Amino acid sequence: MQTDLLQEARRQAEICNACRYCEGYCSVFPALHAERAFSDGNLTQLANLCHNCRGCYYACQYTAPHEFDLNLPQALANVRQDSWEDLAFPRAAGRAFQKNGVLIAVATVIGFALLFWAARALAASGGDGFYAVLSHNAMVAIFLPAFLFPLLSIAISLRRYWRRIGAGPLRLAHLHAALKSASSMRNLSGGHGDGCNFEDEDRFTHARRAVHQAVMYGFLLCFASTSVATVMHYVFDMPAPYGLLSLPKLLGLSGGVLLTLGCVEMIRLKLKSDMALGAQGARGGEMGFVGLLGFVGFSGLLLYALGQTAVMPTLLVIHLGAVLAFFLLTPFTKMAHGFYRLAALAADAQR
Amino acid sequence: MTDPDILVIGGGNAALCAAMTAAEAGARVLILEAAPKPYRGGNSRHTRNFRCMHHGPLGPLVDSYTEDEYLADLMKVTDGKTDEALARLAIRTSEECLPWMQERGVRFQPSLSGTLSLARTNAFFLGGGKGLVNAYYRTAEKLGVAVEYDAAVTHLEREDDRIVRVDYTKDGTTRSLTPRAVVVASGGFQADTDWLARAWGPAAKNFLIRGTPYNRGVVLADLLDQGVEQVGDPTQCHAVAIDGRAPKFDGGIVTRLDCVPFSIVVNKDAQRFYDEGEDVWPKRYAIWGRLVAAQPDQVGYVIIDAKSLDLFMPSVFPPIKAETLPELADKMGLPAEALVQTVERFNAACGDTSGFHPTELDGVATTGLTPPKTNWARPITEPPFYGYSLRTGVTFTYLGLKVDARAQCSIGNRPVANLWAAGETMAGSILGQGYLAGFGMTIGTVFGRIAGQEAAAYAN
Ligand SMILES: Cc1cc2nc3c(=O)[nH]c(=O)nc-3n(C[C@H](O)[C@H](O)[C@H](O)COP(=O)(O)OP(=O)(O)OC[C@H]3O[C@@H](n4cnc5c(N)ncnc54)[C@H](O)[C@@H]3O)c2cc1C
Ligand code: SF4
Ligand code: SF4
């Protein structure tokens, strides 16, 4: 990892440790105050506990122009971003995509192209609906590895993370605590229930929490929709297409709407927030990722709406291309943060 | 700028409490803050808690803290030099202040790690004083209070018993306003080291100022020169011993050093000068400012060894570290031989240390040593050795404007009809000397509210 970023975070953590005024904002501070000296592992863990709410920046009496020049949200964001790049498997992919919105877009276009090629080359004969465009077996052949590879990659990264921060053996109770905290985004409420300082300097709002919940639950609903459909296909022998009131459709529709709106709002919020309090140079990658995620949701919705029309094959290929890019990029984009965050919360539950 | 009904001078806690109260009562209020926006909020931005009376649990506070106990605590630290009527007024009102503060956006948290002894008496601000100040500026803005930053008041023109004009500088020009009423909440004068030097002698030039550089006492001097009633004298100030490497101004809380009880403290000649183990640190913290001020060059040096390093809160600067005492002396600019001798003499005077207990008066004392160390006296033997330098850090001054229970200033025997004061600038009206942690913010909140109320009633 980059030693200058770690050193700067260490310098600031030592000041916070002598101050402690922000103790109640989030999980970072109690964890920070438990140490006296900060190893690289400590700092990596603190960085992944921080969710960049910025409360501690606006409350800090030592921010620039003060000579102590505190900007803890940025210092931790830099270490966090660097840790995602450094722990990625393969590492080069993390370094390539994390900060690079253009590369994410390029990867997405390659995803489209791949699917167009697949639709041509593996054109189905005799399938219904979507499967007329691409046979079910072809879809599985493409998406199963595209789904399993990221899981493997993330598992390797999380193992690396666990080693780096020097955490103890994982117990169910730790995982439970982490999931509980993440599902309500307890920390995003700012420790006092007023939310984050994301939109308008020191004004506390819930916008970011609400938007983040929309994106997360939207994504999970879409994911559930696909999972349910898979089960229906294999276990109950009920292949797609499904009716409007079927479970996959209901889950997918509500998820798609949440995901799309959430991503649009997230981009708007990010544009309003002060860039100097986030990870340096990471905005392109973040926007690229949120854009891709939103596009997955949006193209899925379009597909629902126009599934019976002549544009369906094109839309399907575009949607599936985006999904493919999204899956493959998961370990190397902002998407990975969810996994690291869960790991950080679980490790914190050990404290 | 049209003339406001009420002009509030200063932009810290007392000023904001006065401004919000007056605006809620329907007055048009303008705040003139000498500091630029990033440094708004004076010393209040450095605070962490306020002391609050309460019957039963209240907000973050546990148990009860009664008026009489609060007053007794105050009397103890001030040696009885307290205006009891005003003190009781502040104490009694503090209870309703806590919810009042919450309604205006202040958020509290349980007492910070390392300060559990205050969980019953002091309510801690989430994010510290700057969090509080930010919330108040937001609320004031919603109430229509106007704020000018970089606006330093230079003069209040008085005719008989009224302030008729206020002059201030902004963007290099002098401007004037004719408000109907004025609230002074511009703090003490500690940032004017020339003034400190006039009162203290040249030694004061070596003092560090823990808080804002903007509290230079300009308004205070202007009013006292015109015969507005004074309280306290300029030699009284709250000063503590802080890390000698702290910046000249605005070092705030992180420069505090809690290691003195586990150390020996020497002057620049490597001689000890006071009992480092006299009492637990929170009770002795405030006398060390004066002790260090009385040493040559106003500097002290704390020496500890490896076994004591983890017994106190970390401070912002790492200690100076060396494997041997002569090497440490060298690094700290102390005479090596003298330091070794002082430490050897101290070590020889230490006795049985088996009863050592870092958080209680353990009676582990030296024998036959002057000055003695009466608690936590363990020989300094275990390398590496660590050192910190100590300097006097001034928190605030006591000289101020004398006010009555309505926060009103007076001249001769009559009140100044449209002049009120709140916060540090009138705290001497209540405290003759000494200080009780968290009482500064209580005074500012209580008297800020009173001043705002009275000024609004007058202006309406
Ligand atoms: C490091 C530190 C920690 C402290 N911690 C605590 C604590 O935890 N609890 C507690 O109760 N007390 C604490 N205190 C004391 C506390 O800061 C004061 O009692 C309190 O803040 C005083 O509030 P105030 O509004 O009167 O003054 P301030 O907050 O100092 O405000 C004075 C304001 O007046 C402005 N000003 C000055 N001159 C002019 C001028 N000529 N024209 C216009 N504006 C002017 C200044 O810029 C400033 O905004 C601490 C002090 C320090 C230094
Ligand atoms: S961010 Fe600033 S105010 Fe908060 S704990 Fe750190 S130094 Fe203190
Ligand atoms: S930005 Fe928010 S989450 Fe991160 S350390 Fe500061 S208060 Fe905690």
Side-chain angles (χ1 to χ4, degrees):
Chain A
M1 290 191 54
Q2 295 187 35
T3 48
D4 53 331
L5 300 181
L6 286 163
Q7 191 43 43
E8 176 60 12
R10 184 172 292 116
R11 179 188 77 82
Q12 298 197 24
E14 281 169 0
I15 296 177
C16 292
N17 210 13
C19 170
R20 310 201 166 186
Y21 282 9
C22 294
E23 195 158 275
Y25 276 125
C26 66
S27 321
V28 172
F29 291 95
L32 192 156
H33 302 328
E35 308 293 335
R36 209 178 165 99
F38 299 96
S39 67
D40 292 357
N42 291 149
L43 292 166
T44 304
Q45 164 69 359
L46 292 175
N48 279 283
L49 274 180
C50 168
H51 53 84
N52 201 241
C53 78
R54 299 152 180 230
C56 66
Y57 176 84
Y58 291 107
C60 184
Q61 63 274 29
Y62 299 120
T63 51
H66 194 285
E67 64 188 85
F68 290 167
D69 196 13
L70 256 280
N71 184 347
L72 194 65
Q74 188 203 52
L76 292 182
N78 285 338
V79 169
R80 186 166 60 243
Q81 187 77 32
D82 191 45
S83 75
W84 298 339
E85 291 176 25
D86 191 56
L87 296 168
F89 172 83
R91 185 167 295 144
R95 293 256 178 254
F97 289 107
Q98 270 292 353
K99 286 187 185 147
N100 200 324
V102 177
L103 269 193
I104 293 174
V106 169
T108 310
V109 173
I110 293 176
F112 298 157
L114 203 72
L115 265 288
F116 271 115
W117 171 81
R120 281 258 166 99
L122 313 172
S125 47
D128 277 338
F130 296 160
Y131 301 134
V133 182
L134 194 61
S135 75
H136 185 266
N137 287 347
M139 282 200 202
V140 172
I142 294 171
F143 281 93
L144 195 64
F147 181 68
L148 291 181
F149 163 74
L151 283 186
L152 176 75
S153 163
I154 282 170
I156 293 172
S157 295
L158 289 185
R159 229 172 89 88
R160 288 177 174 174
Y161 180 77
W162 209 251
R163 288 226 178 111
R164 171 147 322 162
I165 64 169
L170 182 66
R171 298 228 161 72
L172 217 55
H174 308 141
L175 214 55
H176 178 75
L179 283 170
K180 210 171 115 192
S181 170
S183 61
S184 62
M185 293 186 199
R186 184 174 55 83
N187 279 293
L188 271 176
S189 68
H192 42 41
D194 296 340
C196 297
N197 296 141
F198 213 73
E199 291 176 85
D200 175 19
E201 296 189 354
D202 59 283
R203 185 156 70 90
F204 291 96
T205 70
H206 285 290
R208 183 157 173 258
R209 187 177 187 213
V211 162
H212 193 286
Q213 291 285 43
V215 173
M216 183 174 92
Y217 281 109
F219 174 75
L220 290 177
L221 283 170
C222 293
F223 195 73
S225 157
T226 312
S227 309
V228 168
T230 310
V231 171
M232 287 169 73
H233 184 100
Y234 285 106
V235 182
F236 299 105
D237 198 21
M238 296 165 61
Y242 303 108
L244 188 64
L245 291 179
S246 66
L247 200 51
K249 273 266 158 86
L250 286 178
L251 290 170
L253 265 180
S254 53
V257 170
L258 267 181
L259 184 60
T260 309
L261 293 181
C263 287
V264 170
E265 271 302 291
M266 183 64 95
I267 287 179
R268 199 185 60 85
L269 264 188
K270 276 188 192 290
L271 288 174
K272 272 174 91 177
S273 70
D274 186 345
M275 263 167 78
L277 308 191
Q280 280 160 316
R283 180 158 276 195
E286 286 186 9
M287 293 297 193
F289 165 72
V290 182
L292 171 57
L293 188 55
F295 186 75
V296 167
F298 181 63
S299 56
L301 285 180
L302 273 186
L303 203 54
Y304 279 131
L306 307 175
Q308 312 301 334
T309 68
V311 291
M312 186 278 277
T314 317
L315 272 179
L316 178 69
V317 161
I318 285 182
H319 176 65
L320 290 180
V323 172
L324 181 67
F326 168 78
F327 272 157
L328 288 174
L329 290 179
T330 284
F332 316 117
T333 53
K334 186 73 188 258
M335 191 65 190
H337 85 279
F339 299 94
Y340 286 103
R341 174 139 191 89
L342 272 179
L345 287 171
D348 196 49
Q350 298 189 338
R351 194 165 45 79
Chain B
M1 182 103 247
T2 55
D3 288 313
D5 297 334
I6 296 171
L7 180 68
V8 177
I9 305 173
N13 175 54
L16 289 159
C17 289
M20 289 185 294
T21 308
E24 284 166 11
R28 280 181 309 125
V29 184
L30 170 66
I31 285 179
L32 294 182
E33 159 64 298
K37 191 175 173 194
Y39 282 124
R40 70 183 182 187
N43 280 354
S44 301
R45 65 202 288 283
H46 285 291
T47 62
R48 58 183 187 185
N49 62 35
F50 93 114
R51 190 172 285 254
C52 183
M53 178 188 91
H54 56 106
H55 297 93
L58 177 68
L61 298 165
V62 297
D63 292 344
S64 292
Y65 188 43
T66 63
E67 179 176 338
D68 287 337
E69 191 188 354
Y70 196 150
L71 187 72
D73 286 344
L74 198 57
M75 289 296 183
K76 226 179 302 162
V77 295
T78 57
D79 257 342
K81 293 202 177 107
T82 302
D83 181 318
E84 188 175 328
L86 291 188
R88 280 190 186 275
L89 172 63
I91 292 169
R92 225 176 281 144
T93 317
S94 67
E95 188 168 27
E96 69 181 62
C97 284
L98 192 142
W100 184 89
M101 295 161 81
Q102 285 175 321
E103 280 157 25
R104 284 152 192 80
V106 177
R107 295 292 173 262
F108 294 97
Q109 62 182 336
S111 62
L112 307 177
S113 51
T115 62
L116 283 178
S117 56
L118 296 173
R120 187 171 65 88
T121 55
N122 290 51
F124 284 73
F125 316 131
L126 181 56
K130 191 172 168 196
L132 170 141
V133 163
N134 287 345
Y136 281 167
Y137 273 101
R138 288 268 167 198
T139 303
E141 195 185 329
K142 272 195 220 128
L143 290 166
V145 173
V147 181
E148 281 204 50
Y149 299 106
D150 293 301
V153 172
T154 51
H155 175 60
L156 277 66
E157 182 71 17
R158 182 180 60 85
E159 273 172 19
D160 297 330
D161 66 345
R162 276 172 38 79
I163 302 297
V164 293
R165 198 188 74 230
V166 175
D167 298 338
Y168 69 104
T169 57
K170 166 129 183 137
D171 303 331
T173 62
T174 299
R175 306 172 185 191
S176 297
L177 289 167
T178 52
R180 275 195 255 177
V182 178
V183 176
V184 181
S186 45
F189 70 85
Q190 65 278 358
D192 183 351
T193 36
D194 290 336
W195 191 346
L196 277 181
R198 284 201 296 283
W200 270 79
K205 296 268 181 197
N206 285 331
F207 294 174
L208 303 174
I209 311 304
R210 299 177 66 209
T212 180
Y214 297 95
N215 287 1
R216 303 177 51 81
V218 174
V219 174
L220 181 62
D222 178 66
L223 289 172
L224 295 182
D225 283 349
Q226 300 185 52
V228 174
E229 207 73 47
Q230 159 178 340
V231 67
D233 74 82
T235 64
Q236 283 296 320
C237 66
H238 182 265
V240 302
I242 59 173
D243 195 308
R245 295 162 292 180
K248 179 78 180 169
F249 294 103
D250 258 338
I253 194 75
V254 298
T255 62
R256 118 194 138 304
L257 276 179
D258 295 344
C259 52
V260 169
F262 310 114
S263 75
I264 61 167
V265 179
V266 300
N267 61 19
K268 72 168 197 174
D269 303 320
Q271 304 303 315
R272 288 178 64 244
F273 52 88
Y274 198 82
D275 178 0
E276 300 89 349
E278 191 177 37
D279 206 338
V280 291
W281 187 238
K283 296 206 176 142
R284 280 296 160 267
Y285 171 62
I287 69 165
W288 278 85
R290 278 164 194 273
L291 290 172
V292 169
Q295 296 305 309
D297 291 350
Q298 295 72 50
V299 58
Y301 299 91
V302 187
I303 314 289
I304 60 171
D305 67 359
K307 61 180 174 288
S308 297
L309 189 65
D310 288 343
L311 295 179
F312 52 92
M313 283 260 292
S315 75
V316 61
F317 303 110
I320 294 159
K321 178 178 169 183
E323 285 307 316
T324 66
L325 282 170
E327 189 193 332
L328 186 69
D330 230 37
K331 285 187 172 168
M332 298 185 75
L334 288 169
E337 220 169 291
L339 181 69
V340 171
Q341 267 179 17
T342 298
V343 172
E344 278 174 357
R345 218 176 306 132
F346 170 79
N347 289 351
C350 292
D352 176 15
T353 61
S354 58
F356 176 79
H357 196 298
T359 54
E360 287 167 15
L361 296 176
D362 62 3
V364 173
T366 56
T367 37
L369 187 71
T370 348
K373 184 173 179 191
T374 51
N375 287 290
W376 309 293
R378 293 194 298 178
I380 293 178
T381 47
E382 203 178 293
F385 300 97
Y386 297 95
Y388 293 94
S389 61
L390 283 181
R391 284 196 179 277
T392 302
V394 181
T395 320
F396 50 78
T397 49
Y398 280 101
L399 172 74
L401 303 168
K402 182 156 181 53
V403 300
D404 59 14
R406 297 165 61 193
Q408 195 160 21
C409 297
S410 56
I411 190 160
N413 292 325
R414 329 162 263 144
V416 183
N418 63 349
L419 185 65
W420 287 265
E424 211 57 79
T425 203
M426 49 61 73
S429 304
I430 305 173
L431 303 177
Q433 65 175 46
Y435 180 65
L436 189 60
F439 199 48
M441 291 299 276
T442 307
I443 293 177
T445 310
V446 169
F447 283 87
R449 294 185 343 151
I450 294 174
Q453 188 93 49
E454 295 288 329
Y458 174 88
N460 286 344

